[in-house]
Amino acid sequence: MEKVHRNSEIAEMIPFDLSEKLLLFPVRHHSPVCSYQLVRTINEYRPDIILIEGPENANGLIPVLTDDNTKLPSAVYYYYKDTKKLVSENAEDYKCYYPFLYSSPEYNAMKQAKMLGIPAEFIDLPYCDILINTAEKKGLRKNTEKHSYADDSHLTQSKFYEKICEETNVRSFDEFWEKYFEISGIFLTPEKFVKQLHTYCIITRLETSEEEMKADGTLARESHMAQRITEAMEKYEKVLVVTGGFHSMGIYNLISGGKIKPPRLRKIPENLHGCYPMAYSYESADALHGYASGMSFPYFYDMVTNRLLESDSPENVYNNLTLDLLVKTAKQTNKKDIPVSIADVTSAKTLMDGLASLRGSRECGMYELYDGVTSTFIKGEKTVSSSLPLDILRRLATGKDVGFIGDKTHVPPLITDFEEQSKKFRLKIKDVMPNDIEVPLFTTQKGMELSRFLHRMEFLETDFARMKKGPDLHNNKGRSRVREEWRYRRSPNVDASLIDHTTDGFTIEEACSTMAVKKLHGEMRCESAAQVAVDCFLMGITLKKTELDLIDEILTADGDFFSVGNGLRYFEMLYSLQSLYGFTDVSALDYIRQCFEKLIISLPSMANVASERAEELISVIKIMYGITGNILTSELPVLEQALITMAQSADKEPSVYGAVSGLLYAVEPSHRTDAENAMRGYLTGTAEIQKKGAEFLKGLFCTARDIILSDDSFLQMTDKLITEMEYNDFLEILPSMKLAFSYFTPSEIQDTAKSVAELHSVAKKDILDTRAVDENLFVFGEELDREICKIIGV
């Protein structure tokens, strides 16, 4: 590490003196060597208090994080609701994670304080105040999907690092860090290690402008931390401070200069901000999965930390652990039917040792292991399939475990309920890998309860479970399915989402009920209100009378025909399935009647609907017709009269006209004559009118395809429409004709083909079995004919 920078005087800017009242210890988050050297320093310095970089409103959670029953990875989840617009005019909700691994120096500082019986405290600004003092798109206000409080981007993305990588011939910051800090650093004294780290961090800071540090909240945070340190120095004889290395010089200069102006803390109502402990995962803590401050291969480095803290000497810790990981990778690779011999493992180990020696590294690290596996386990060219050993190595080194919070005192009740229900249904939530489960809906009561639990988690948008197969009631598909297939996976986002719903209830069911009511109060469309009713049905939640009355008000006030029509579809489905699922709510029948009455009044005026909404209108009309067949049977004459009025309208959309004609034929076969006359009108019209005939047929076959099978009259008219049309006009109507015949079943297509064959005096197989000519080939043939004619002068 001495070669990193020749100016050793830089490190002297921040003293490391175990006899002084204040000792600043710089760290990189989740670094094993920082944890190892910090524990050694604590044992030598014997502080009276340990101050740690972290939002101070989480001080009450330190006993939870260090509880003997708590299993890492864990995290503190912070949230802030900016209803007062102190951060921006958008009044957004903010959240971030503060993860802790066994390799985290902050965690080891808390554990050591507990062992020594001394206090440990977080000293940074509360999360909401950090946001208030941060400019837009900077620091914790960056436009990223997942925000982490522990941000090492200043250290990992500096220009100084880029120069170092170029000088030392390393491929990435993580490789540089492992070689010069993680491996080399464990063989140094704490004093020398701290000076080396101070050197790197100070040089990095000197290349960062004050404007940038002010914008990302660094200066405000450092002022607050310096103030808290000064206060502690007045009470305690020896104060140890653990912060990110980038902050060390800023904090030291503020304390030594004696001019500290901490930012004003805002009084935020308790219901608008807070923090909770939560389980975290190794996958989420991995730098390769988007955690900006994480180190790649977090499980491996946790094992390094544990081995360092348990061993009397750091000698061969990396050599032994990389060898263990190499052997595990070989075993897992063999299980995937990719042969790896003992000779391959021996060759990989020899190569790893050689690379470490060649690169000037005292022991083999992850990057020597990675290169060794690449060179010896991958046979031939590196492809997606052949690189499976590397994928296995990466998964093993990353880890798949999910942590556990041992002290439930501060755990939100929703998470407790989630864990209890997961245990009840034997769901594997301690594994970060996705799991599949089949849920029988009717064979057991437990199956129905599990289905409702999974639907509730989906309704809360926790991203815990996704249904792969089963009844899709929102899209009215698969209603006859009696089983559901789900894929579920617990991730930190699941816990975070449940924490966000903490104010909605003490159980998952209560939270879903509250959210359903909130959605209803925010809706003005019948369709959306009906969807909420569907969600409640799937979740097994019975709406109270006040909510049912609210749906009634929404339905009454909605003047959108299609919104009411889609609402009718949902209510009809609910009515049909409620008895099947053992649901006692019968309010759907009243909503069906109200929707039908509103639609029947407006239906005649919809005859000339825009063509792009014709299909949607036809769908609504079919639902109305179906309801008059089994629910509102007394309304059939009313619907028939409305359809007749539509058919007699002067200006009609062709496909709607066809669908209406088909339904009238279904109500009373004598209406067939009207449909035939309509089709003849299209046949005898102009070319443009004939094109509309194809749309008419599409609508007709959608509602009454059997009309073409009862006798040959419609078949002959369809044949005439197609055969007498110009080729280019035929290509224009072809999509509509294809869609028209898509409503036929395979057996009906066979019967139709037979009738067409007889009409043209050919065999049925010549129609069904003849291979169609590719249209592009046909066009190419035409062009070829034209060129040939030009050449021969024809």
Side-chain angles (χ1 to χ4, degrees), residues 715 719 749-768:
L715 187 65
D719 182 72
I749 291 175
Q750 292 281 343
D751 294 339
T752 304
K754 180 180 179 181
S755 300
V756 173
E758 292 174 355
L759 189 65
H760 288 275
S761 302
V762 297
K764 187 176 77 169
K765 65 180 182 62
D766 293 336
I767 293 178
L768 287 178

PDB file of all heavy atoms in Angstrom, residues 715 719 749-768:
ATOM      1  N   LEU A 715     -73.224 -18.095 -46.407  1.00  0.00           N
ATOM      2  CA  LEU A 715     -71.985 -18.591 -46.981  1.00  0.00           C
ATOM      3  C   LEU A 715     -71.830 -18.126 -48.419  1.00  0.00           C
ATOM      4  O   LEU A 715     -70.753 -17.703 -48.851  1.00  0.00           O
ATOM      5  CB  LEU A 715     -71.963 -20.126 -46.904  1.00  0.00           C
ATOM      6  CG  LEU A 715     -70.641 -20.784 -47.313  1.00  0.00           C
ATOM      7  CD1 LEU A 715     -69.531 -20.396 -46.347  1.00  0.00           C
ATOM      8  CD2 LEU A 715     -70.793 -22.291 -47.359  1.00  0.00           C
ATOM      9  N   ASP A 719     -69.008 -15.645 -49.885  1.00  0.00           N
ATOM     10  CA  ASP A 719     -68.199 -16.055 -51.028  1.00  0.00           C
ATOM     11  C   ASP A 719     -68.246 -15.001 -52.128  1.00  0.00           C
ATOM     12  O   ASP A 719     -67.227 -14.667 -52.745  1.00  0.00           O
ATOM     13  CB  ASP A 719     -68.708 -17.398 -51.550  1.00  0.00           C
ATOM     14  CG  ASP A 719     -67.868 -17.898 -52.717  1.00  0.00           C
ATOM     15  OD1 ASP A 719     -66.718 -18.317 -52.479  1.00  0.00           O
ATOM     16  OD2 ASP A 719     -68.365 -17.842 -53.865  1.00  0.00           O
ATOM     17  N   ILE A 749     -65.069 -24.970 -38.451  1.00  0.00           N
ATOM     18  CA  ILE A 749     -64.234 -24.644 -39.615  1.00  0.00           C
ATOM     19  C   ILE A 749     -64.248 -25.799 -40.603  1.00  0.00           C
ATOM     20  O   ILE A 749     -64.308 -25.601 -41.829  1.00  0.00           O
ATOM     21  CB  ILE A 749     -62.794 -24.320 -39.155  1.00  0.00           C
ATOM     22  CG1 ILE A 749     -62.785 -22.993 -38.394  1.00  0.00           C
ATOM     23  CG2 ILE A 749     -61.847 -24.267 -40.351  1.00  0.00           C
ATOM     24  CD1 ILE A 749     -61.445 -22.646 -37.794  1.00  0.00           C
ATOM     25  N   GLN A 750     -64.209 -27.012 -40.091  1.00  0.00           N
ATOM     26  CA  GLN A 750     -64.284 -28.194 -40.966  1.00  0.00           C
ATOM     27  C   GLN A 750     -65.602 -28.205 -41.737  1.00  0.00           C
ATOM     28  O   GLN A 750     -65.616 -28.435 -42.960  1.00  0.00           O
ATOM     29  CB  GLN A 750     -64.160 -29.468 -40.111  1.00  0.00           C
ATOM     30  CG  GLN A 750     -62.804 -29.691 -39.469  1.00  0.00           C
ATOM     31  CD  GLN A 750     -61.779 -30.251 -40.441  1.00  0.00           C
ATOM     32  OE1 GLN A 750     -62.133 -30.770 -41.508  1.00  0.00           O
ATOM     33  NE2 GLN A 750     -60.508 -30.137 -40.089  1.00  0.00           N
ATOM     34  N   ASP A 751     -66.710 -27.952 -41.059  1.00  0.00           N
ATOM     35  CA  ASP A 751     -68.027 -27.952 -41.721  1.00  0.00           C
ATOM     36  C   ASP A 751     -68.111 -26.830 -42.753  1.00  0.00           C
ATOM     37  O   ASP A 751     -68.654 -27.013 -43.849  1.00  0.00           O
ATOM     38  CB  ASP A 751     -69.137 -27.795 -40.682  1.00  0.00           C
ATOM     39  CG  ASP A 751     -69.232 -28.997 -39.751  1.00  0.00           C
ATOM     40  OD1 ASP A 751     -68.741 -30.081 -40.132  1.00  0.00           O
ATOM     41  OD2 ASP A 751     -69.789 -28.844 -38.641  1.00  0.00           O
ATOM     42  N   THR A 752     -67.570 -25.656 -42.402  1.00  0.00           N
ATOM     43  CA  THR A 752     -67.595 -24.527 -43.336  1.00  0.00           C
ATOM     44  C   THR A 752     -66.752 -24.829 -44.561  1.00  0.00           C
ATOM     45  O   THR A 752     -67.138 -24.525 -45.709  1.00  0.00           O
ATOM     46  CB  THR A 752     -67.082 -23.248 -42.642  1.00  0.00           C
ATOM     47  OG1 THR A 752     -67.869 -23.006 -41.484  1.00  0.00           O
ATOM     48  CG2 THR A 752     -67.177 -22.059 -43.567  1.00  0.00           C
ATOM     49  N   ALA A 753     -65.584 -25.448 -44.348  1.00  0.00           N
ATOM     50  CA  ALA A 753     -64.713 -25.797 -45.471  1.00  0.00           C
ATOM     51  C   ALA A 753     -65.412 -26.787 -46.407  1.00  0.00           C
ATOM     52  O   ALA A 753     -65.291 -26.691 -47.637  1.00  0.00           O
ATOM     53  CB  ALA A 753     -63.410 -26.398 -44.948  1.00  0.00           C
ATOM     54  N   LYS A 754     -66.138 -27.705 -45.824  1.00  0.00           N
ATOM     55  CA  LYS A 754     -66.877 -28.669 -46.652  1.00  0.00           C
ATOM     56  C   LYS A 754     -67.921 -27.972 -47.522  1.00  0.00           C
ATOM     57  O   LYS A 754     -68.054 -28.257 -48.722  1.00  0.00           O
ATOM     58  CB  LYS A 754     -67.545 -29.710 -45.754  1.00  0.00           C
ATOM     59  CG  LYS A 754     -68.344 -30.766 -46.513  1.00  0.00           C
ATOM     60  CD  LYS A 754     -68.975 -31.748 -45.543  1.00  0.00           C
ATOM     61  CE  LYS A 754     -69.814 -32.802 -46.310  1.00  0.00           C
ATOM     62  NZ  LYS A 754     -70.464 -33.755 -45.378  1.00  0.00           N
ATOM     63  N   SER A 755     -68.654 -27.018 -46.943  1.00  0.00           N
ATOM     64  CA  SER A 755     -69.674 -26.280 -47.691  1.00  0.00           C
ATOM     65  C   SER A 755     -69.045 -25.442 -48.793  1.00  0.00           C
ATOM     66  O   SER A 755     -69.560 -25.358 -49.913  1.00  0.00           O
ATOM     67  CB  SER A 755     -70.478 -25.389 -46.745  1.00  0.00           C
ATOM     68  OG  SER A 755     -71.126 -26.150 -45.753  1.00  0.00           O
ATOM     69  N   VAL A 756     -67.900 -24.791 -48.489  1.00  0.00           N
ATOM     70  CA  VAL A 756     -67.207 -23.978 -49.496  1.00  0.00           C
ATOM     71  C   VAL A 756     -66.690 -24.855 -50.626  1.00  0.00           C
ATOM     72  O   VAL A 756     -66.761 -24.499 -51.810  1.00  0.00           O
ATOM     73  CB  VAL A 756     -66.048 -23.187 -48.840  1.00  0.00           C
ATOM     74  CG1 VAL A 756     -65.223 -22.486 -49.906  1.00  0.00           C
ATOM     75  CG2 VAL A 756     -66.589 -22.177 -47.839  1.00  0.00           C
ATOM     76  N   ALA A 757     -66.195 -26.047 -50.276  1.00  0.00           N
ATOM     77  CA  ALA A 757     -65.700 -26.977 -51.295  1.00  0.00           C
ATOM     78  C   ALA A 757     -66.831 -27.394 -52.244  1.00  0.00           C
ATOM     79  O   ALA A 757     -66.650 -27.440 -53.470  1.00  0.00           O
ATOM     80  CB  ALA A 757     -65.075 -28.194 -50.630  1.00  0.00           C
ATOM     81  N   GLU A 758     -67.972 -27.683 -51.682  1.00  0.00           N
ATOM     82  CA  GLU A 758     -69.129 -28.054 -52.517  1.00  0.00           C
ATOM     83  C   GLU A 758     -69.574 -26.885 -53.384  1.00  0.00           C
ATOM     84  O   GLU A 758     -69.971 -27.070 -54.547  1.00  0.00           O
ATOM     85  CB  GLU A 758     -70.278 -28.511 -51.610  1.00  0.00           C
ATOM     86  CG  GLU A 758     -70.003 -29.834 -50.892  1.00  0.00           C
ATOM     87  CD  GLU A 758     -71.110 -30.174 -49.898  1.00  0.00           C
ATOM     88  OE1 GLU A 758     -72.020 -29.325 -49.712  1.00  0.00           O
ATOM     89  OE2 GLU A 758     -71.057 -31.278 -49.305  1.00  0.00           O
ATOM     90  N   LEU A 759     -69.474 -25.678 -52.844  1.00  0.00           N
ATOM     91  CA  LEU A 759     -69.870 -24.488 -53.598  1.00  0.00           C
ATOM     92  C   LEU A 759     -68.989 -24.285 -54.814  1.00  0.00           C
ATOM     93  O   LEU A 759     -69.449 -23.843 -55.880  1.00  0.00           O
ATOM     94  CB  LEU A 759     -69.792 -23.270 -52.668  1.00  0.00           C
ATOM     95  CG  LEU A 759     -70.375 -21.957 -53.189  1.00  0.00           C
ATOM     96  CD1 LEU A 759     -71.881 -22.090 -53.391  1.00  0.00           C
ATOM     97  CD2 LEU A 759     -70.095 -20.827 -52.198  1.00  0.00           C
ATOM     98  N   HIS A 760     -67.706 -24.653 -54.700  1.00  0.00           N
ATOM     99  CA  HIS A 760     -66.757 -24.463 -55.813  1.00  0.00           C
ATOM    100  C   HIS A 760     -66.400 -25.780 -56.500  1.00  0.00           C
ATOM    101  O   HIS A 760     -65.470 -25.817 -57.312  1.00  0.00           O
ATOM    102  CB  HIS A 760     -65.480 -23.793 -55.285  1.00  0.00           C
ATOM    103  CG  HIS A 760     -65.661 -22.350 -54.925  1.00  0.00           C
ATOM    104  ND1 HIS A 760     -65.561 -21.336 -55.836  1.00  0.00           N
ATOM    105  CD2 HIS A 760     -65.985 -21.763 -53.736  1.00  0.00           C
ATOM    106  CE1 HIS A 760     -65.776 -20.174 -55.240  1.00  0.00           C
ATOM    107  NE2 HIS A 760     -66.048 -20.412 -53.961  1.00  0.00           N
ATOM    108  N   SER A 761     -67.113 -26.846 -56.147  1.00  0.00           N
ATOM    109  CA  SER A 761     -66.929 -28.160 -56.780  1.00  0.00           C
ATOM    110  C   SER A 761     -65.491 -28.654 -56.676  1.00  0.00           C
ATOM    111  O   SER A 761     -64.881 -29.097 -57.666  1.00  0.00           O
ATOM    112  CB  SER A 761     -67.359 -28.093 -58.258  1.00  0.00           C
ATOM    113  OG  SER A 761     -68.713 -27.690 -58.363  1.00  0.00           O
ATOM    114  N   VAL A 762     -64.920 -28.551 -55.500  1.00  0.00           N
ATOM    115  CA  VAL A 762     -63.570 -29.069 -55.246  1.00  0.00           C
ATOM    116  C   VAL A 762     -63.623 -29.933 -53.993  1.00  0.00           C
ATOM    117  O   VAL A 762     -64.603 -29.941 -53.253  1.00  0.00           O
ATOM    118  CB  VAL A 762     -62.528 -27.942 -55.065  1.00  0.00           C
ATOM    119  CG1 VAL A 762     -62.396 -27.117 -56.331  1.00  0.00           C
ATOM    120  CG2 VAL A 762     -62.913 -27.058 -53.874  1.00  0.00           C
ATOM    121  N   ALA A 763     -62.552 -30.676 -53.775  1.00  0.00           N
ATOM    122  CA  ALA A 763     -62.478 -31.520 -52.581  1.00  0.00           C
ATOM    123  C   ALA A 763     -62.160 -30.673 -51.356  1.00  0.00           C
ATOM    124  O   ALA A 763     -61.452 -29.667 -51.445  1.00  0.00           O
ATOM    125  CB  ALA A 763     -61.404 -32.592 -52.774  1.00  0.00           C
ATOM    126  N   LYS A 764     -62.679 -31.100 -50.195  1.00  0.00           N
ATOM    127  CA  LYS A 764     -62.464 -30.344 -48.961  1.00  0.00           C
ATOM    128  C   LYS A 764     -60.982 -30.248 -48.610  1.00  0.00           C
ATOM    129  O   LYS A 764     -60.499 -29.222 -48.119  1.00  0.00           O
ATOM    130  CB  LYS A 764     -63.230 -31.004 -47.810  1.00  0.00           C
ATOM    131  CG  LYS A 764     -63.184 -30.170 -46.525  1.00  0.00           C
ATOM    132  CD  LYS A 764     -64.015 -30.777 -45.406  1.00  0.00           C
ATOM    133  CE  LYS A 764     -63.311 -31.945 -44.767  1.00  0.00           C
ATOM    134  NZ  LYS A 764     -63.976 -32.379 -43.515  1.00  0.00           N
ATOM    135  N   LYS A 765     -60.237 -31.302 -48.906  1.00  0.00           N
ATOM    136  CA  LYS A 765     -58.815 -31.292 -48.563  1.00  0.00           C
ATOM    137  C   LYS A 765     -58.042 -30.248 -49.366  1.00  0.00           C
ATOM    138  O   LYS A 765     -57.010 -29.737 -48.926  1.00  0.00           O
ATOM    139  CB  LYS A 765     -58.204 -32.667 -48.788  1.00  0.00           C
ATOM    140  CG  LYS A 765     -58.189 -33.137 -50.224  1.00  0.00           C
ATOM    141  CD  LYS A 765     -57.564 -34.529 -50.353  1.00  0.00           C
ATOM    142  CE  LYS A 765     -57.512 -34.992 -51.804  1.00  0.00           C
ATOM    143  NZ  LYS A 765     -56.671 -34.107 -52.637  1.00  0.00           N
ATOM    144  N   ASP A 766     -58.562 -29.905 -50.550  1.00  0.00           N
ATOM    145  CA  ASP A 766     -57.887 -28.893 -51.363  1.00  0.00           C
ATOM    146  C   ASP A 766     -57.977 -27.513 -50.725  1.00  0.00           C
ATOM    147  O   ASP A 766     -57.167 -26.631 -51.011  1.00  0.00           O
ATOM    148  CB  ASP A 766     -58.498 -28.840 -52.770  1.00  0.00           C
ATOM    149  CG  ASP A 766     -58.213 -30.118 -53.562  1.00  0.00           C
ATOM    150  OD1 ASP A 766     -57.204 -30.786 -53.226  1.00  0.00           O
ATOM    151  OD2 ASP A 766     -58.986 -30.436 -54.476  1.00  0.00           O
ATOM    152  N   ILE A 767     -58.986 -27.337 -49.869  1.00  0.00           N
ATOM    153  CA  ILE A 767     -59.141 -26.054 -49.195  1.00  0.00           C
ATOM    154  C   ILE A 767     -58.375 -26.031 -47.868  1.00  0.00           C
ATOM    155  O   ILE A 767     -57.672 -25.071 -47.547  1.00  0.00           O
ATOM    156  CB  ILE A 767     -60.638 -25.754 -48.949  1.00  0.00           C
ATOM    157  CG1 ILE A 767     -61.345 -25.537 -50.288  1.00  0.00           C
ATOM    158  CG2 ILE A 767     -60.805 -24.534 -48.040  1.00  0.00           C
ATOM    159  CD1 ILE A 767     -62.811 -25.280 -50.149  1.00  0.00           C
ATOM    160  N   LEU A 768     -58.488 -27.121 -47.113  1.00  0.00           N
ATOM    161  CA  LEU A 768     -57.877 -27.150 -45.787  1.00  0.00           C
ATOM    162  C   LEU A 768     -56.399 -27.502 -45.809  1.00  0.00           C
ATOM    163  O   LEU A 768     -55.621 -26.998 -44.988  1.00  0.00           O
ATOM    164  CB  LEU A 768     -58.615 -28.141 -44.886  1.00  0.00           C
ATOM    165  CG  LEU A 768     -59.990 -27.716 -44.389  1.00  0.00           C
ATOM    166  CD1 LEU A 768     -60.602 -28.830 -43.561  1.00  0.00           C
ATOM    167  CD2 LEU A 768     -59.903 -26.450 -43.542  1.00  0.00           C
TER     168      LEU A 768
END
